[in-house]
Structures are given as structure tokens and as C-alpha cells.
Amino acid sequence: DSGVTQTPKHLITATGQRVTLRCSPRSGDLSVYWYQQSLDQGLQFLIHYYNGEERAKGNILERFSAQQFPDLHSELNLSSLELGDSALYFCASSASSFRGTLYNEQFFGPGTRLTVL
Amino acid sequence: TQLLEQSPQFLSIQEGENLTVYCNSSSVFSSLQWYRQEPGEGPVLLVTVVTGGEVKKLKRLTFQFGDARKDSSLHITAAQPGDTGLYLCAGAQWGLSGGSQGNLIFGKGTKLSVKP
């Protein structure tokens, strides 16, 4: 158990719909990362939040957005869903903002499997 | 463009055999992590290497970071069925402040199957 929790475990929805995925980081971790894992692309970085502030964006679509709340939990919002959005979505957390440190150890949650029909 | 190439993509071996998985890039990384992932679960961190040429051992697993910090390898001695899983390498790039950039760049993984 990594200490990172994600809900829901599974989500089945239809094209055009909107869903929210939730992540609670390990106790004390300030950084939250969202990744998408599909069969053909592997794990792709979406977005990074540190202590409530957006720090970096990866290949995140404009239809997707995220935020980190004062209690440090994070939500990933996916809207106007398409068939191609079906994937595993992982949240990871770490203690550091990484400035001035070489270590970048991230701990992953169990993921949310999104199926868009 | 895939910045981290892992090979082989698939590996099926018998219990007791040795194996090596490779992770290669043309980019330099500040650190490199190896993860193991079971089907339907999140990746689990195995090791982090940060120094060029560094070797780390975790029981029967030996991890090496290349001298130029562009590649890494994972060697498993006397593989067991419990080693079965997807092995992922992930690199952190240098940030503007000199430390690591936050997000990790993942290879597509090596799917290992160890048969009893």
C-alpha cells in the first residue's frame, strides 16, 4: 500500500459526458501528479500540482483540468469524453517540489480505470 | 518521440534463469527510477539511481545507471514466478534550478513472465 488513494476504482460512462477523478496523496506529501496509461502510449504525464499551485503541464488536453485543494487532495476533471479517453488514470504523490534535489521519487495510487462507451 | 526506450518489450523465461532489461535514451537524466507494475494496479517504486555509474542491489535485483546518465539496466538473478510483472523505467530531467524537474518520463515497459 503506497498510501495514495484514488476513487473511484472503475468508471464507465458515455461519450460527451464529464467525470471527476479524486486522489488523496500520502500523508505529508505536497506534490500530486496525474498520469494517463493507455496500451499504446504507456504512462504519460498530465499535470503536476505542488501545495495547491500548478507546477507543470504535460500532454493534457484542453478538455481536461485539475486542481489541488487546501487539504492537498486533488481532482482531475475530464469533460466531453471521447472513446480515446478510455485509459487508466494514476495519481502519484511525493514530498518534494524538487527544486535543488536530484531525487524524484513518486508513489502511485491504485488508479482509476475509465471506460468511455 | 519516446525519450526512454526499453528492451526487450516482452520476456518469457523459466524459473531460475537470469535476465537483463535495458532502458536507453539520448537524453541525460538527473535521476532514474525503476518501477514494477501488476495488472490493474499502480506502479510500485523499486529503486532510484542518481549518480552516473551507480549500482544498487535489492536482493536478487541489480540496477545500474550509465556513466553518462542516459541509460540504465535491471538485472534479475535466478528469476522467480513472483518476479512476473511489467517493469518500467522512468527518468527525471534537469530543471532550471539545477534539481530535478517534477514529472517523470516513462518507458513503455518490459513485460516479464517467469514460468515455474
Side-chain angles (χ1 to χ4, degrees):
Chain A
D1 186 353
S2 67
V4 178
T5 61
Q6 287 188 249
T7 56
K9 180 75 172 168
H10 301 278
L11 200 47
I12 301 174
T13 188
T15 54
Q17 295 298 304
R18 172 189 169 95
V19 297
T20 298
L21 313 184
R22 183 189 168 102
C23 166
S24 292
R26 293 185 318 163
S27 177
D29 282 357
L30 300 180
S31 273
V32 170
Y33 304 81
W34 286 97
Y35 292 86
Q36 179 192 58
Q37 187 176 38
S38 58
L39 283 174
D40 56 341
Q41 291 295 320
L43 268 162
Q44 299 284 316
F45 166 68
L46 295 178
I47 198 163
H48 169 207
Y49 275 84
Y50 175 77
N51 203 20
E53 293 185 3
E54 182 185 303
R55 275 290 172 86
K57 269 186 174 180
N59 299 323
I60 188 167
L61 299 171
E62 284 191 13
R63 300 183 284 109
F64 296 1
S65 65
Q67 58 186 130
Q68 186 179 28
F69 295 87
D71 67 352
L72 301 177
H73 91 272
S74 178
E75 291 181 357
L76 179 67
N77 300 295
L78 315 177
S79 61
S80 303
L81 286 168
E82 302 175 359
L83 296 178
D85 297 327
S86 295
L88 273 166
Y89 291 84
F90 288 104
C91 157
S93 77
S94 69
S96 166
S97 67
F98 306 109
R99 287 182 177 167
T101 178
L102 294 178
Y103 285 86
N104 196 0
E105 295 181 333
Q106 298 180 16
F107 297 87
F108 283 76
T112 293
R113 181 177 292 279
L114 173 66
T115 303
V116 183
L117 301 175
Chain B
T1 303
Q2 184 69 26
L3 290 183
L4 272 172
E5 298 284 345
Q6 283 190 244
S7 62
Q9 196 175 351
F10 299 97
L11 194 52
S12 181
I13 61 172
Q14 293 296 128
E15 182 175 2
E17 292 183 13
N18 301 333
L19 66 114
T20 302
V21 174
Y22 299 93
C23 178
N24 295 299
S25 176
S26 57
S27 301
V28 177
F29 293 102
S30 62
S31 66
L32 198 136
Q33 287 78 46
W34 284 91
Y35 291 82
R36 181 165 159 261
Q37 185 178 19
E38 304 270 7
E41 297 181 10
V44 175
L45 179 65
L46 297 174
V47 79
T48 300
V49 285
V50 297
T51 305
E54 181 176 4
V55 176
K56 277 192 175 178
K57 292 193 174 184
L58 189 67
K59 296 183 182 178
R60 294 175 294 100
L61 279 60
T62 302
F63 305 86
Q64 185 162 10
F65 200 13
D67 290 341
R69 313 170 74 97
K70 293 182 179 181
D71 53 82
S72 181
S73 64
L74 158 60
H75 182 79
I76 302 179
T77 303
Q80 298 176 1
D83 295 328
T84 294
L86 179 68
Y87 288 83
L88 296 161
C89 66
Q93 293 185 303
W94 294 100
L96 294 177
S97 61
S100 286
Q101 206 161 275
N103 58 286
L104 295 174
I105 297 169
F106 279 85
K108 289 194 177 181
T110 293
K111 196 167 184 180
L112 172 65
S113 173
V114 182
K115 296 181 165 64

